[in-house]
Amino acid sequence: MRFEANEDQTTFLSVLDQMMASDAALWRHSPDWRRYDLAPELDGMLEENGFYEAIAEETLGAIAAVALIDRAARLPVTLEVAASSMLHAAHAPDLPRPVAVIDGPLDRATRFLPVAKSVIHIADGGVRAALLPEGAVTPTESIFAYPMGVLSGAALDWQALPVSPEAARDQWRIAIAAEITGALQGALDAVRAHVVDRRQFGRPLGSFQSMQHRLAEDVAAIEGGYWLVMRAAEDFDPVAVAAALGYVQDAATAIVYDFHQFMGAMGITLEHPLHRWSYRLRLLKSALGGASGNLGLLAERRWGAA
Amino acid sequence: MEFGWTDRERAFRARVRDFLHRELPADFDRIARHGPGSREQTEFSLDFCPKLAEAGLLVPHWPAEWGGHDGTVWEHFILGEEMWAAGEPRGAQYMNVNWIGPTIMRYGSEEQRQRYIPPMAAGKAIWCQGFSEPNAGSDLAALRTRAERDGDHYVINGSKIWTSYAGLADTCFLLARTSGKPGDRSGIAILLVPMDTPGIDVRPIPSLIGHGDIHEVFFTDVRVPVTARLGEEGAAWSIITYSLANERVGIPRYELSARALDGMVRELKARGEFGGDHVRQRAGRAAAACEAARMLVYRAVDTRARGQKLGTEANIARIAVIKADAAVSDFGLDFLPDTYSGEDHPLNLAHHERAIVAGIAAGAAEIQLEIVARRHLELPRGA
Ligand SMILES: Cc1cc2nc3c(=O)[nH]c(=O)nc-3n(C[C@H](O)[C@H](O)[C@H](O)COP(=O)(O)OP(=O)(O)OC[C@H]3O[C@@H](n4cnc5c(N)ncnc54)[C@H](O)[C@@H]3O)c2cc1C
């Protein structure tokens, strides 16, 4: 049992932290008040330096990939990291990225489709991938802090990927779970900074115990989720995978509620980045069956059928 | 990162399990029904712990000088996990093993060590912890029980409350005020007080958690020699802070919770009542809570095992552990309410009664939240 990263992972994380602290990771509210920034410069730096390929490196592995997803999701900018560093890197490294992942019907609004160069489709019959030619995607307006779009129905040249749908789904579960823990942590840091700063009734908001205790509970849930995710990334044990995603999706609902409460009206504006995290979380918590589906799956895997 | 066990740790766990398998009677859940402080379980422990000692499994993490094997932090922890999951057959003696013994080794006089440690290492000593008072619960420093110096004796007057195991204990690890007003941490001393000293009156408090667990203890002109003092006058606060630092992560409760939950699911399946999505999701939720608690506890233990100073990891873990206990207990109450009447499901009852105190005993949940808010989130104090 060792919670410390190994030497290579430590280096990976410290270089990553430097990049994440650079100007390229800053968020800007765009003139048209878009709900996300894609941070292409940072994305390019991560890609060029091989960060998205960690899963294929023996001494880095899925643990580093998952840590990358978590760290990237802490940022207020939106990066397509989860698919690239998990499914793409493991099964389709030659496809151009960004990558969108569809794990159900093909006609639903899906994150990253408008900017994706390729798409991975996880269906019960198999996992496949295709390039996305010009015109293959119709962008859609959305409340979520991702570029959202729908496949326009043009014929795609699907290629089967050498991975079972079950294995791909479990990897995707952990990628999503890591994105959730990261977004929760990023939002927590922003909310914390706000409530330490903002004074009402002659004292910082963060000095009120009702707020302190809820934030402390949120810390326990976020950190518990983080370590469940790390544990599951070690070997993709099916029970651990379902526990990790079910737990963080379940926790996210109440935590997002707390964060928006504590930010007051400021958190409703597009001037403060809270929405950048909360409107990623509000999509992610429904992924792959959502909390109910994944906790049910955990029951299935731990105790079998009725 | 690595979340598996070493061969040595696996072998150690197997040894503990083998021992439990051999030594625990088939109906131990019935004996453990009323909790570690019950007469049944205390009596059992006085037979069980000497055998555990003989097998080298009572104090394996203690130094060889005191009957241990200099075992690792993880071995100590694995032992606690297995014992708690089994229903804590060591009864009250887990306290000796975990912190009272090590505290006396570190701070005690030679006489105190020779007198108290061998019986603990032999599995024959029952201690109680006299900290809380009617007006000093979460705010422990507010304690008022006084120890007045009279020549080479102290005369103790006051009362303790919620004292576990007091009815059967031989010795009390007592906090008493030698100077200062309630609230003053620097006026407290530790006294090791034999419970048969005249002037001590123990009254059990009827409670929701089984027989004879918590007590009131009254001290009226109780005389103990100055040599009963552990450490200096006024040193109690720093000593208990040190000794309980290792205890802060608390009991590995999630392990019994997970076992109880598995039992509940087995029962529901046998009844053909584990088919609905609702019950399955709720069971999954409780299981996930146990696993999250486990990871956070392991993180705190790992910090210690690597010799690093523990920050708020233990407090964060406690919060998750308390929630996991509640999730399992509520699952049982919601889906198997009939098992909480009658005698047929001792494990559900025992688990429930342990779960309802998880957020109160050994520092309330809200105190943990307080510490996390202040030290981890560094949130400001009020005006
Ligand atoms: C089963 C059991 C066994 C015990 N065994 C022992 C023992 O062997 N020896 C011993 O000395 N003691 C023992 N105790 C006592 C235990 O340590 C105290 O119950 C505990 O410290 C809390 O004190 P209290 O019950 O007086 O609660 P109080 O201090 O009165 O607090 C009540 C509640 O108020 C809230 N609260 C308190 N302070 C704050 C704050 N600062 N901010 C926000 N909320 C707050 C918490 O929700 C808390 O639960 C035991 C208790 C139980 C339940």
Side-chain angles (χ1 to χ4, degrees), chain A residues 190-234:
Chain A
V191 169
R192 184 203 161 273
H194 178 77
V195 303
V196 167
D197 242 29
R198 166 126 174 116
R199 297 174 73 87
Q200 287 290 281
F201 303 98
R203 51 194 271 204
L205 284 177
S207 69
F208 287 99
Q209 208 182 42
S210 66
M211 205 177 260
Q212 294 190 340
H213 285 196
R214 270 155 71 186
L215 286 172
E217 290 200 334
D218 296 343
V219 165
I222 294 168
E223 299 204 355
Y226 178 82
W227 288 109
L228 283 177
V229 172
M230 287 295 165
R231 156 71 192 88
E234 177 169 63

mmCIF file of all heavy atoms in Angstrom, chain A residues 190-234:
data_model
loop_
_atom_site.group_PDB
_atom_site.id
_atom_site.type_symbol
_atom_site.label_atom_id
_atom_site.label_comp_id
_atom_site.label_asym_id
_atom_site.label_seq_id
_atom_site.Cartn_x
_atom_site.Cartn_y
_atom_site.Cartn_z
ATOM 1 N N ALA A 190 -11.872 27.295 -6.022
ATOM 2 C CA ALA A 190 -12.398 28.610 -6.393
ATOM 3 C C ALA A 190 -13.409 29.113 -5.359
ATOM 4 O O ALA A 190 -13.402 30.289 -4.982
ATOM 5 C CB ALA A 190 -13.050 28.532 -7.771
ATOM 6 N N VAL A 191 -14.248 28.217 -4.894
ATOM 7 C CA VAL A 191 -15.253 28.612 -3.900
ATOM 8 C C VAL A 191 -14.567 28.982 -2.591
ATOM 9 O O VAL A 191 -14.908 29.973 -1.937
ATOM 10 C CB VAL A 191 -16.281 27.472 -3.690
ATOM 11 C CG1 VAL A 191 -17.168 27.757 -2.486
ATOM 12 C CG2 VAL A 191 -17.130 27.296 -4.945
ATOM 13 N N ARG A 192 -13.570 28.201 -2.225
ATOM 14 C CA ARG A 192 -12.828 28.490 -1.000
ATOM 15 C C ARG A 192 -12.233 29.900 -1.069
ATOM 16 O O ARG A 192 -12.360 30.695 -0.137
ATOM 17 C CB ARG A 192 -11.724 27.456 -0.794
ATOM 18 C CG ARG A 192 -10.997 27.647 0.495
ATOM 19 C CD ARG A 192 -9.602 27.065 0.514
ATOM 20 N NE ARG A 192 -8.874 27.699 1.592
ATOM 21 C CZ ARG A 192 -8.204 28.841 1.484
ATOM 22 N NH1 ARG A 192 -8.137 29.466 0.315
ATOM 23 N NH2 ARG A 192 -7.606 29.366 2.519
ATOM 24 N N ALA A 193 -11.596 30.207 -2.182
ATOM 25 C CA ALA A 193 -10.976 31.527 -2.329
ATOM 26 C C ALA A 193 -12.041 32.623 -2.185
ATOM 27 O O ALA A 193 -11.811 33.650 -1.529
ATOM 28 C CB ALA A 193 -10.278 31.633 -3.688
ATOM 29 N N HIS A 194 -13.188 32.390 -2.742
ATOM 30 C CA HIS A 194 -14.246 33.395 -2.681
ATOM 31 C C HIS A 194 -14.745 33.602 -1.247
ATOM 32 O O HIS A 194 -14.880 34.735 -0.787
ATOM 33 C CB HIS A 194 -15.416 32.969 -3.575
ATOM 34 C CG HIS A 194 -16.575 33.920 -3.541
ATOM 35 N ND1 HIS A 194 -16.571 35.125 -4.208
ATOM 36 C CD2 HIS A 194 -17.770 33.852 -2.899
ATOM 37 C CE1 HIS A 194 -17.715 35.757 -3.987
ATOM 38 N NE2 HIS A 194 -18.460 35.002 -3.198
ATOM 39 N N VAL A 195 -14.990 32.513 -0.532
ATOM 40 C CA VAL A 195 -15.590 32.678 0.799
ATOM 41 C C VAL A 195 -14.576 33.157 1.840
ATOM 42 O O VAL A 195 -14.959 33.620 2.910
ATOM 43 C CB VAL A 195 -16.311 31.398 1.298
ATOM 44 C CG1 VAL A 195 -17.387 30.979 0.295
ATOM 45 C CG2 VAL A 195 -15.343 30.260 1.581
ATOM 46 N N VAL A 196 -13.301 33.045 1.529
ATOM 47 C CA VAL A 196 -12.292 33.614 2.424
ATOM 48 C C VAL A 196 -12.236 35.132 2.213
ATOM 49 O O VAL A 196 -12.062 35.908 3.151
ATOM 50 C CB VAL A 196 -10.909 32.977 2.163
ATOM 51 C CG1 VAL A 196 -9.804 33.762 2.838
ATOM 52 C CG2 VAL A 196 -10.897 31.529 2.642
ATOM 53 N N ASP A 197 -12.444 35.527 0.995
ATOM 54 C CA ASP A 197 -12.372 36.933 0.594
ATOM 55 C C ASP A 197 -13.599 37.750 0.933
ATOM 56 O O ASP A 197 -13.518 38.861 1.426
ATOM 57 C CB ASP A 197 -12.267 36.944 -0.943
ATOM 58 C CG ASP A 197 -10.986 37.567 -1.381
ATOM 59 O OD1 ASP A 197 -10.024 37.470 -0.607
ATOM 60 O OD2 ASP A 197 -10.971 38.133 -2.492
ATOM 61 N N ARG A 198 -14.716 37.191 0.604
ATOM 62 C CA ARG A 198 -15.965 37.958 0.678
ATOM 63 C C ARG A 198 -16.438 38.081 2.114
ATOM 64 O O ARG A 198 -16.538 37.090 2.838
ATOM 65 C CB ARG A 198 -17.026 37.257 -0.169
ATOM 66 C CG ARG A 198 -18.425 37.751 0.079
ATOM 67 C CD ARG A 198 -19.075 38.181 -1.198
ATOM 68 N NE ARG A 198 -20.479 38.527 -0.979
ATOM 69 C CZ ARG A 198 -20.961 39.745 -1.155
ATOM 70 N NH1 ARG A 198 -20.182 40.736 -1.559
ATOM 71 N NH2 ARG A 198 -22.247 39.974 -0.960
ATOM 72 N N ARG A 199 -16.723 39.312 2.531
ATOM 73 C CA ARG A 199 -17.192 39.548 3.891
ATOM 74 C C ARG A 199 -18.659 39.943 3.890
ATOM 75 O O ARG A 199 -19.091 40.733 3.057
ATOM 76 C CB ARG A 199 -16.365 40.659 4.548
ATOM 77 C CG ARG A 199 -14.894 40.312 4.690
ATOM 78 C CD ARG A 199 -14.109 41.496 5.197
ATOM 79 N NE ARG A 199 -14.351 41.755 6.610
ATOM 80 C CZ ARG A 199 -13.672 41.173 7.604
ATOM 81 N NH1 ARG A 199 -12.705 40.335 7.324
ATOM 82 N NH2 ARG A 199 -13.951 41.455 8.849
ATOM 83 N N GLN A 200 -19.401 39.413 4.826
ATOM 84 C CA GLN A 200 -20.776 39.836 5.100
ATOM 85 C C GLN A 200 -20.939 39.765 6.606
ATOM 86 O O GLN A 200 -20.289 38.962 7.263
ATOM 87 C CB GLN A 200 -21.790 38.899 4.417
ATOM 88 C CG GLN A 200 -21.869 39.068 2.906
ATOM 89 C CD GLN A 200 -22.509 40.396 2.510
ATOM 90 O OE1 GLN A 200 -23.712 40.568 2.536
ATOM 91 N NE2 GLN A 200 -21.665 41.357 2.142
ATOM 92 N N PHE A 201 -21.818 40.590 7.137
ATOM 93 C CA PHE A 201 -22.002 40.645 8.593
ATOM 94 C C PHE A 201 -20.680 40.920 9.302
ATOM 95 O O PHE A 201 -20.418 40.410 10.387
ATOM 96 C CB PHE A 201 -22.614 39.346 9.134
ATOM 97 C CG PHE A 201 -23.932 39.003 8.503
ATOM 98 C CD1 PHE A 201 -24.013 38.091 7.461
ATOM 99 C CD2 PHE A 201 -25.106 39.625 8.936
ATOM 100 C CE1 PHE A 201 -25.222 37.788 6.869
ATOM 101 C CE2 PHE A 201 -26.322 39.318 8.346
ATOM 102 C CZ PHE A 201 -26.379 38.412 7.318
ATOM 103 N N GLY A 202 -19.806 41.660 8.632
ATOM 104 C CA GLY A 202 -18.556 42.058 9.267
ATOM 105 C C GLY A 202 -17.517 40.955 9.375
ATOM 106 O O GLY A 202 -16.541 41.098 10.116
ATOM 107 N N ARG A 203 -17.689 39.855 8.697
ATOM 108 C CA ARG A 203 -16.696 38.774 8.780
ATOM 109 C C ARG A 203 -16.670 37.985 7.474
ATOM 110 O O ARG A 203 -17.627 38.048 6.694
ATOM 111 C CB ARG A 203 -17.009 37.868 9.971
ATOM 112 C CG ARG A 203 -18.464 37.401 9.976
ATOM 113 C CD ARG A 203 -18.813 36.803 11.316
ATOM 114 N NE ARG A 203 -18.499 35.380 11.311
ATOM 115 C CZ ARG A 203 -19.080 34.494 12.127
ATOM 116 N NH1 ARG A 203 -19.979 34.878 13.008
ATOM 117 N NH2 ARG A 203 -18.743 33.234 12.069
ATOM 118 N N PRO A 204 -15.587 37.260 7.244
ATOM 119 C CA PRO A 204 -15.544 36.467 6.010
ATOM 120 C C PRO A 204 -16.660 35.419 6.012
ATOM 121 O O PRO A 204 -16.939 34.812 7.049
ATOM 122 C CB PRO A 204 -14.179 35.776 6.064
ATOM 123 C CG PRO A 204 -13.394 36.491 7.104
ATOM 124 C CD PRO A 204 -14.360 37.099 8.059
ATOM 125 N N LEU A 205 -17.268 35.218 4.856
ATOM 126 C CA LEU A 205 -18.313 34.189 4.758
ATOM 127 C C LEU A 205 -17.797 32.834 5.220
ATOM 128 O O LEU A 205 -18.499 32.063 5.861
ATOM 129 C CB LEU A 205 -18.770 34.044 3.298
ATOM 130 C CG LEU A 205 -19.680 35.114 2.731
ATOM 131 C CD1 LEU A 205 -19.954 34.809 1.259
ATOM 132 C CD2 LEU A 205 -20.978 35.174 3.519
ATOM 133 N N GLY A 206 -16.552 32.587 4.880
ATOM 134 C CA GLY A 206 -15.972 31.278 5.205
ATOM 135 C C GLY A 206 -15.739 31.072 6.684
ATOM 136 O O GLY A 206 -15.297 30.000 7.099
ATOM 137 N N SER A 207 -16.032 32.065 7.505
ATOM 138 C CA SER A 207 -15.892 31.865 8.945
ATOM 139 C C SER A 207 -17.193 31.335 9.554
ATOM 140 O O SER A 207 -17.221 30.989 10.727
ATOM 141 C CB SER A 207 -15.481 33.169 9.629
ATOM 142 O OG SER A 207 -16.547 34.094 9.585
ATOM 143 N N PHE A 208 -18.257 31.289 8.754
ATOM 144 C CA PHE A 208 -19.507 30.745 9.294
ATOM 145 C C PHE A 208 -19.440 29.229 9.321
ATOM 146 O O PHE A 208 -19.081 28.578 8.341
ATOM 147 C CB PHE A 208 -20.712 31.209 8.460
ATOM 148 C CG PHE A 208 -21.044 32.656 8.685
ATOM 149 C CD1 PHE A 208 -20.626 33.631 7.799
ATOM 150 C CD2 PHE A 208 -21.750 33.043 9.823
ATOM 151 C CE1 PHE A 208 -20.903 34.964 8.027
ATOM 152 C CE2 PHE A 208 -22.033 34.383 10.046
ATOM 153 C CZ PHE A 208 -21.616 35.347 9.152
ATOM 154 N N GLN A 209 -19.847 28.684 10.468
ATOM 155 C CA GLN A 209 -19.657 27.253 10.649
ATOM 156 C C GLN A 209 -20.529 26.418 9.702
ATOM 157 O O GLN A 209 -20.119 25.340 9.274
ATOM 158 C CB GLN A 209 -19.946 26.878 12.102
ATOM 159 C CG GLN A 209 -19.185 25.663 12.538
ATOM 160 C CD GLN A 209 -19.511 25.256 13.952
ATOM 161 O OE1 GLN A 209 -20.660 25.268 14.369
ATOM 162 N NE2 GLN A 209 -18.498 24.888 14.691
ATOM 163 N N SER A 210 -21.693 26.949 9.363
ATOM 164 C CA SER A 210 -22.563 26.165 8.474
ATOM 165 C C SER A 210 -21.852 25.927 7.144
ATOM 166 O O SER A 210 -21.996 24.880 6.520
ATOM 167 C CB SER A 210 -23.886 26.879 8.245
ATOM 168 O OG SER A 210 -23.667 28.075 7.533
ATOM 169 N N MET A 211 -21.092 26.915 6.735
ATOM 170 C CA MET A 211 -20.357 26.796 5.487
ATOM 171 C C MET A 211 -19.112 25.917 5.681
ATOM 172 O O MET A 211 -18.791 25.059 4.861
ATOM 173 C CB MET A 211 -19.952 28.194 5.064
ATOM 174 C CG MET A 211 -19.746 28.334 3.603
ATOM 175 S SD MET A 211 -19.358 30.036 3.199
ATOM 176 C CE MET A 211 -20.934 30.626 2.613
ATOM 177 N N GLN A 212 -18.434 26.143 6.785
ATOM 178 C CA GLN A 212 -17.197 25.387 7.039
ATOM 179 C C GLN A 212 -17.462 23.884 7.070
ATOM 180 O O GLN A 212 -16.721 23.098 6.488
ATOM 181 C CB GLN A 212 -16.598 25.817 8.372
ATOM 182 C CG GLN A 212 -16.111 27.256 8.372
ATOM 183 C CD GLN A 212 -15.315 27.582 9.620
ATOM 184 O OE1 GLN A 212 -15.416 26.902 10.635
ATOM 185 N NE2 GLN A 212 -14.522 28.644 9.550
ATOM 186 N N HIS A 213 -18.525 23.507 7.761
ATOM 187 C CA HIS A 213 -18.759 22.072 7.913
ATOM 188 C C HIS A 213 -19.177 21.430 6.599
ATOM 189 O O HIS A 213 -18.757 20.317 6.283
ATOM 190 C CB HIS A 213 -19.802 21.816 9.003
ATOM 191 C CG HIS A 213 -19.234 22.018 10.372
ATOM 192 N ND1 HIS A 213 -19.834 21.557 11.510
ATOM 193 C CD2 HIS A 213 -18.097 22.635 10.778
ATOM 194 C CE1 HIS A 213 -19.087 21.877 12.562
ATOM 195 N NE2 HIS A 213 -18.031 22.541 12.135
ATOM 196 N N ARG A 214 -19.985 22.143 5.827
ATOM 197 C CA ARG A 214 -20.371 21.555 4.541
ATOM 198 C C ARG A 214 -19.166 21.465 3.618
ATOM 199 O O ARG A 214 -18.986 20.465 2.906
ATOM 200 C CB ARG A 214 -21.517 22.330 3.909
ATOM 201 C CG ARG A 214 -22.863 21.748 4.372
ATOM 202 C CD ARG A 214 -23.973 22.727 4.312
ATOM 203 N NE ARG A 214 -24.371 23.056 2.961
ATOM 204 C CZ ARG A 214 -25.276 24.007 2.674
ATOM 205 N NH1 ARG A 214 -25.857 24.668 3.652
ATOM 206 N NH2 ARG A 214 -25.599 24.259 1.438
ATOM 207 N N LEU A 215 -18.327 22.469 3.634
ATOM 208 C CA LEU A 215 -17.131 22.393 2.790
ATOM 209 C C LEU A 215 -16.210 21.262 3.248
ATOM 210 O O LEU A 215 -15.603 20.566 2.433
ATOM 211 C CB LEU A 215 -16.388 23.735 2.785
ATOM 212 C CG LEU A 215 -17.071 24.840 1.969
ATOM 213 C CD1 LEU A 215 -16.367 26.180 2.174
ATOM 214 C CD2 LEU A 215 -17.108 24.494 0.479
ATOM 215 N N ALA A 216 -16.132 21.078 4.552
ATOM 216 C CA ALA A 216 -15.276 19.999 5.058
ATOM 217 C C ALA A 216 -15.851 18.639 4.651
ATOM 218 O O ALA A 216 -15.114 17.715 4.305
ATOM 219 C CB ALA A 216 -15.133 20.093 6.578
ATOM 220 N N GLU A 217 -17.166 18.508 4.685
ATOM 221 C CA GLU A 217 -17.775 17.250 4.214
ATOM 222 C C GLU A 217 -17.489 17.055 2.730
ATOM 223 O O GLU A 217 -17.245 15.942 2.272
ATOM 224 C CB GLU A 217 -19.281 17.259 4.448
ATOM 225 C CG GLU A 217 -19.625 17.169 5.912
ATOM 226 C CD GLU A 217 -21.049 16.703 6.155
ATOM 227 O OE1 GLU A 217 -21.902 16.910 5.276
ATOM 228 O OE2 GLU A 217 -21.279 16.133 7.236
ATOM 229 N N ASP A 218 -17.534 18.143 2.000
ATOM 230 C CA ASP A 218 -17.257 18.052 0.570
ATOM 231 C C ASP A 218 -15.815 17.595 0.335
ATOM 232 O O ASP A 218 -15.544 16.782 -0.553
ATOM 233 C CB ASP A 218 -17.520 19.406 -0.107
ATOM 234 C CG ASP A 218 -19.004 19.810 -0.034
ATOM 235 O OD1 ASP A 218 -19.846 18.926 0.238
ATOM 236 O OD2 ASP A 218 -19.312 21.003 -0.224
ATOM 237 N N VAL A 219 -14.902 18.098 1.157
ATOM 238 C CA VAL A 219 -13.505 17.661 1.048
ATOM 239 C C VAL A 219 -13.416 16.151 1.225
ATOM 240 O O VAL A 219 -12.757 15.454 0.444
ATOM 241 C CB VAL A 219 -12.623 18.353 2.117
ATOM 242 C CG1 VAL A 219 -11.282 17.645 2.260
ATOM 243 C CG2 VAL A 219 -12.417 19.817 1.779
ATOM 244 N N ALA A 220 -14.088 15.644 2.254
ATOM 245 C CA ALA A 220 -14.008 14.199 2.517
ATOM 246 C C ALA A 220 -14.548 13.417 1.315
ATOM 247 O O ALA A 220 -13.967 12.405 0.905
ATOM 248 C CB ALA A 220 -14.772 13.838 3.790
ATOM 249 N N ALA A 221 -15.641 13.898 0.731
ATOM 250 C CA ALA A 221 -16.224 13.176 -0.404
ATOM 251 C C ALA A 221 -15.305 13.267 -1.628
ATOM 252 O O ALA A 221 -15.096 12.280 -2.337
ATOM 253 C CB ALA A 221 -17.599 13.730 -0.727
ATOM 254 N N ILE A 222 -14.741 14.431 -1.856
ATOM 255 C CA ILE A 222 -13.883 14.604 -3.040
ATOM 256 C C ILE A 222 -12.618 13.754 -2.896
ATOM 257 O O ILE A 222 -12.207 13.059 -3.825
ATOM 258 C CB ILE A 222 -13.523 16.091 -3.238
ATOM 259 C CG1 ILE A 222 -14.789 16.902 -3.574
ATOM 260 C CG2 ILE A 222 -12.473 16.253 -4.341
ATOM 261 C CD1 ILE A 222 -14.603 18.418 -3.505
ATOM 262 N N GLU A 223 -12.018 13.794 -1.712
ATOM 263 C CA GLU A 223 -10.777 13.029 -1.540
ATOM 264 C C GLU A 223 -11.043 11.530 -1.510
ATOM 265 O O GLU A 223 -10.261 10.740 -2.044
ATOM 266 C CB GLU A 223 -10.021 13.516 -0.303
ATOM 267 C CG GLU A 223 -9.655 14.983 -0.485
ATOM 268 C CD GLU A 223 -8.471 15.440 0.338
ATOM 269 O OE1 GLU A 223 -7.951 14.666 1.151
ATOM 270 O OE2 GLU A 223 -8.076 16.609 0.145
ATOM 271 N N GLY A 224 -12.168 11.141 -0.916
ATOM 272 C CA GLY A 224 -12.540 9.720 -0.944
ATOM 273 C C GLY A 224 -12.710 9.268 -2.385
ATOM 274 O O GLY A 224 -12.226 8.209 -2.790
ATOM 275 N N GLY A 225 -13.378 10.090 -3.173
ATOM 276 C CA GLY A 225 -13.587 9.766 -4.590
ATOM 277 C C GLY A 225 -12.262 9.690 -5.327
ATOM 278 O O GLY A 225 -12.022 8.765 -6.114
ATOM 279 N N TYR A 226 -11.395 10.642 -5.051
ATOM 280 C CA TYR A 226 -10.097 10.668 -5.741
ATOM 281 C C TYR A 226 -9.333 9.362 -5.511
ATOM 282 O O TYR A 226 -8.795 8.755 -6.442
ATOM 283 C CB TYR A 226 -9.276 11.862 -5.230
ATOM 284 C CG TYR A 226 -7.906 11.959 -5.847
ATOM 285 C CD1 TYR A 226 -7.740 12.554 -7.099
ATOM 286 C CD2 TYR A 226 -6.782 11.463 -5.203
ATOM 287 C CE1 TYR A 226 -6.478 12.649 -7.682
ATOM 288 C CE2 TYR A 226 -5.522 11.550 -5.771
ATOM 289 C CZ TYR A 226 -5.370 12.148 -7.008
ATOM 290 O OH TYR A 226 -4.132 12.238 -7.575
ATOM 291 N N TRP A 227 -9.320 8.901 -4.271
ATOM 292 C CA TRP A 227 -8.537 7.689 -3.997
ATOM 293 C C TRP A 227 -9.230 6.432 -4.488
ATOM 294 O O TRP A 227 -8.574 5.448 -4.855
ATOM 295 C CB TRP A 227 -8.139 7.620 -2.515
ATOM 296 C CG TRP A 227 -7.093 8.654 -2.236
ATOM 297 C CD1 TRP A 227 -7.235 9.805 -1.519
ATOM 298 C CD2 TRP A 227 -5.757 8.682 -2.762
ATOM 299 N NE1 TRP A 227 -6.077 10.542 -1.544
ATOM 300 C CE2 TRP A 227 -5.149 9.880 -2.297
ATOM 301 C CE3 TRP A 227 -5.006 7.823 -3.567
ATOM 302 C CZ2 TRP A 227 -3.828 10.228 -2.618
ATOM 303 C CZ3 TRP A 227 -3.693 8.169 -3.882
ATOM 304 C CH2 TRP A 227 -3.121 9.359 -3.415
ATOM 305 N N LEU A 228 -10.561 6.461 -4.551
ATOM 306 C CA LEU A 228 -11.250 5.328 -5.187
ATOM 307 C C LEU A 228 -10.872 5.253 -6.662
ATOM 308 O O LEU A 228 -10.672 4.166 -7.217
ATOM 309 C CB LEU A 228 -12.768 5.480 -5.067
ATOM 310 C CG LEU A 228 -13.403 5.162 -3.714
ATOM 311 C CD1 LEU A 228 -14.908 5.449 -3.762
ATOM 312 C CD2 LEU A 228 -13.159 3.705 -3.331
ATOM 313 N N VAL A 229 -10.766 6.414 -7.286
ATOM 314 C CA VAL A 229 -10.418 6.456 -8.708
ATOM 315 C C VAL A 229 -8.988 5.943 -8.906
ATOM 316 O O VAL A 229 -8.713 5.117 -9.785
ATOM 317 C CB VAL A 229 -10.566 7.891 -9.257
ATOM 318 C CG1 VAL A 229 -10.015 7.977 -10.672
ATOM 319 C CG2 VAL A 229 -12.026 8.332 -9.229
ATOM 320 N N MET A 230 -8.084 6.419 -8.075
ATOM 321 C CA MET A 230 -6.685 5.973 -8.197
ATOM 322 C C MET A 230 -6.571 4.468 -7.980
ATOM 323 O O MET A 230 -5.873 3.763 -8.718
ATOM 324 C CB MET A 230 -5.809 6.699 -7.171
ATOM 325 C CG MET A 230 -5.558 8.138 -7.526
ATOM 326 S SD MET A 230 -4.595 8.194 -9.065
ATOM 327 C CE MET A 230 -4.805 9.880 -9.504
ATOM 328 N N ARG A 231 -7.263 4.013 -6.951
ATOM 329 C CA ARG A 231 -7.247 2.572 -6.665
ATOM 330 C C ARG A 231 -7.763 1.777 -7.878
ATOM 331 O O ARG A 231 -7.182 0.756 -8.269
ATOM 332 C CB ARG A 231 -8.105 2.299 -5.423
ATOM 333 C CG ARG A 231 -8.670 0.902 -5.277
ATOM 334 C CD ARG A 231 -7.569 -0.105 -4.956
ATOM 335 N NE ARG A 231 -8.021 -1.481 -5.094
ATOM 336 C CZ ARG A 231 -7.981 -2.167 -6.244
ATOM 337 N NH1 ARG A 231 -7.527 -1.615 -7.361
ATOM 338 N NH2 ARG A 231 -8.377 -3.420 -6.285
ATOM 339 N N ALA A 232 -8.851 2.256 -8.481
ATOM 340 C CA ALA A 232 -9.442 1.525 -9.609
ATOM 341 C C ALA A 232 -8.527 1.566 -10.821
ATOM 342 O O ALA A 232 -8.480 0.620 -11.607
ATOM 343 C CB ALA A 232 -10.807 2.113 -9.945
ATOM 344 N N ALA A 233 -7.773 2.659 -10.970
ATOM 345 C CA ALA A 233 -6.892 2.784 -12.130
ATOM 346 C C ALA A 233 -5.720 1.806 -12.047
ATOM 347 O O ALA A 233 -5.068 1.519 -13.047
ATOM 348 C CB ALA A 233 -6.375 4.211 -12.239
ATOM 349 N N GLU A 234 -5.456 1.300 -10.846
ATOM 350 C CA GLU A 234 -4.318 0.394 -10.714
ATOM 351 C C GLU A 234 -4.508 -0.855 -11.571
ATOM 352 O O GLU A 234 -3.608 -1.280 -12.267
ATOM 353 C CB GLU A 234 -4.116 -0.007 -9.253
ATOM 354 C CG GLU A 234 -2.994 -1.010 -9.067
ATOM 355 C CD GLU A 234 -2.614 -1.196 -7.619
ATOM 356 O OE1 GLU A 234 -3.458 -1.650 -6.831
ATOM 357 O OE2 GLU A 234 -1.471 -0.867 -7.268
#
